[in-house]
Each structure stands twice: as C-alpha cells, then as structure tokens.
Amino acid sequence: MRNIKQIEILEVLKENLEKGENLGICKIVMEEDQPLSHIKFSKYYEILEIIEKNNCEYTCMIKVSSPPYFSKFLELMDLEIIWQGPIIMNKDYMAFKCIGTTSSLDKVIRLFKLMGNITQISYSDATYNNKNNKILSDLTFKEKEVLLMAIESGYYEYPRKINGTELARKINSSKSTVIEHLRKAENKVMLSAVNKK
C-alpha cells in the first residue's frame, strides 16, 4: 500500500461467486501529492471508473477478483456471512463488520489469523429492533430456540442439511415436539410478516 493512506470498501454492488469477482464502490485516500494514476495495482484489483475526486480522496467503482487459490479456500470455508461496509484497510490495520452464524464467524477469525495478528475482536448478538414489526418477539422462548437452531443447522436450505429427526437429536427433544415448535413459530412469523395478526 505504498503511497496509499487508506482504502475503504464502501459498498459491494455485485458478487459473482463462480468467477470470484466483486463489483463495488471504494474510497482510496492517497498520500499527499500522490495521484491515483501513479499506483500500480495487482491484476486482481481494477479501477473501472473514478466517480469523484476530492483532494487526495478518490471514490471509485472497482472490480476485485480473488486469486484462484483464495476462491477455492473461501469455498472450502463455506462462509455464511453478510459483510457490512465500510471495510477499512491501511498500513496498520484492517477493520470490518460482518453478520453470520457462530460457526461462520469462527471461520472468519481463523481465516484472518492466517493473514496476521488480530488485536481486537468484538461480538454482539444480532437483534431486530423495529417497533412496528415484532416478528421474533411473538415467539415463546422454546419456539425461538428451535427456529434459530433450525436456521443455523440448515433445516430451511435446499437441499436440507439436517432433517427433523437430526434437529430433534441436536436439541435433545422428540421429533414431534420439535416439529410442533417449528410449525407454531413458522405460523407466527408468517402471520406477523403479512400483518394478519
């Protein structure tokens, strides 16, 4: 990152996982008197257009490609992550926010440990705070627990990663009880989502 003070990935516009390419908007902050045109980026990073220039700051549309080995590595990690901008990188650190399941977040930490020292990590439980839409607050504790475990375990994915019997075993309950909790939770969520309650 010679001659670059900082890069902020502001937004990912499009992801193509098959090709390992992302289109996005980023802000590149250059050192004093260093134009962006003097920077030679790797073949995996391409500036498609400079949207705005303000002194040493350039807001650009970029295309970032993952090296083949890195794409394969990410595929093996099977991350279920939502990245939240901005992602900030400079000579001293990288900072980012992401949302995901506990197992996916653990994988992200292991991935970044391979890249360097992690000096600070903070976690917070995801919450949904829309006063007009109390989808999960209508569920009993057990309904919420079973529904969230089903989601995290891949019960609602296609094809399913876990069936009702396996989910019941994981929760340490009978299959009929787990299915009953799921049906009640699904009914409450659907009614709440379409405002029929």
Side-chain angles (χ1 to χ4, degrees), residues 148-161:
L148 293 175
M149 180 61 76
I151 292 167
E152 187 173 313
S153 300
Y155 181 80
Y156 291 103
E157 293 181 22
Y158 183 80
R160 285 189 172 156
K161 290 185 177 180

Side-chain angles (χ1 to χ4, degrees), residues 150-180:
I151 292 167
E152 187 173 313
S153 300
Y155 181 80
Y156 291 103
E157 293 181 22
Y158 183 80
R160 285 189 172 156
K161 290 185 177 180
I162 191 171
N163 63 32
T165 303
E166 295 164 329
L167 183 61
R169 218 176 284 127
K170 196 170 190 175
I171 295 173
N172 200 21
S173 187
S174 72
K175 179 182 176 183
S176 60
T177 301
V178 167
I179 297 302
E180 180 182 342

